[in-house]
Amino acid sequence: MRLTAGRSGLLLFPLALLLAAGPALAAPATEADMSLYTRIAALNVCISRAAGIEFDKAVAVAGETIAQVIQGQHGGQIAQVGPKALTLEELRKGSINSAVLGAVEVCPKEVPAEVKKKVDDVLKGAGSPAPAAPATKPAAPATKPAPASKP
């Protein structure tokens, strides 16, 4: 079945409305949103690595994707971080951190040994054990993961 310009235009119309809504109407990313985004970034890294893409490139693309989603869908705001909208650069740093942490958990064989060691060192230095599942407790945009909260 071939799509005509009329049909494809109708299919893209909802997307145009979504994009037109813009950050002014966007709510901050919730913890659940961030969990989902971290999982997506981690899986993106794992799939890219399995396809032979360099780790740094895989992480950069996954991080940029998530940063752009947070910027576009949530106006750069993350509820866990506070009311201030983060800059795209801050979002990139945090998203890359989340992608790396998630990849270490989801596909450790696809993560270079030196990167896994750095992650372990940072987690030990932060006074928290390695996360059981970064997808449930994502790293918020920061240079270090936050210590785990007590139940």
Side-chain angles (χ1 to χ4, degrees):
M1 178 175 156
R2 249 178 64 204
L3 287 179
T4 64
R7 284 187 185 168
S8 63
L10 289 175
L11 292 174
L12 295 176
F13 184 69
L15 178 60
L17 287 177
L18 178 64
L19 294 175
L25 301 176
T30 64
E31 188 171 345
D33 292 329
M34 294 306 297
S35 294
L36 175 63
Y37 300 156
T38 295
R39 182 79 175 168
I40 290 169
L43 291 172
N44 201 329
V45 171
C46 297
I47 292 166
S48 296
R49 292 289 291 150
I53 296 171
E54 295 174 34
F55 183 76
D56 289 345
K57 286 183 182 179
V59 168
V61 170
E64 182 67 23
T65 301
I66 299 309
Q68 292 289 336
V69 167
I70 296 168
Q71 181 71 36
Q73 292 298 109
H74 305 284
Q77 292 182 300
I78 299 172
Q80 292 167 281
V81 175
K84 176 189 163 280
L86 300 172
T87 66
L88 192 53
E89 189 58 34
E90 290 169 324
L91 291 170
R92 285 178 179 133
K93 288 177 185 176
S95 295
I96 287 170
N97 286 345
S98 292
V100 170
L101 289 171
V104 166
E105 183 63 32
V106 175
C107 58
K109 291 180 182 179
E110 298 294 347
V111 179
E114 65 273 9
V115 173
K116 285 191 280 193
K117 183 177 179 350
K118 285 180 184 178
V119 167
D120 287 341
D121 291 347
V122 167
L123 292 174
K124 286 176 187 172
S128 65
T136 58
K137 283 289 184 187
T143 56
K144 287 186 179 179
S149 59
K150 295 182 181 178

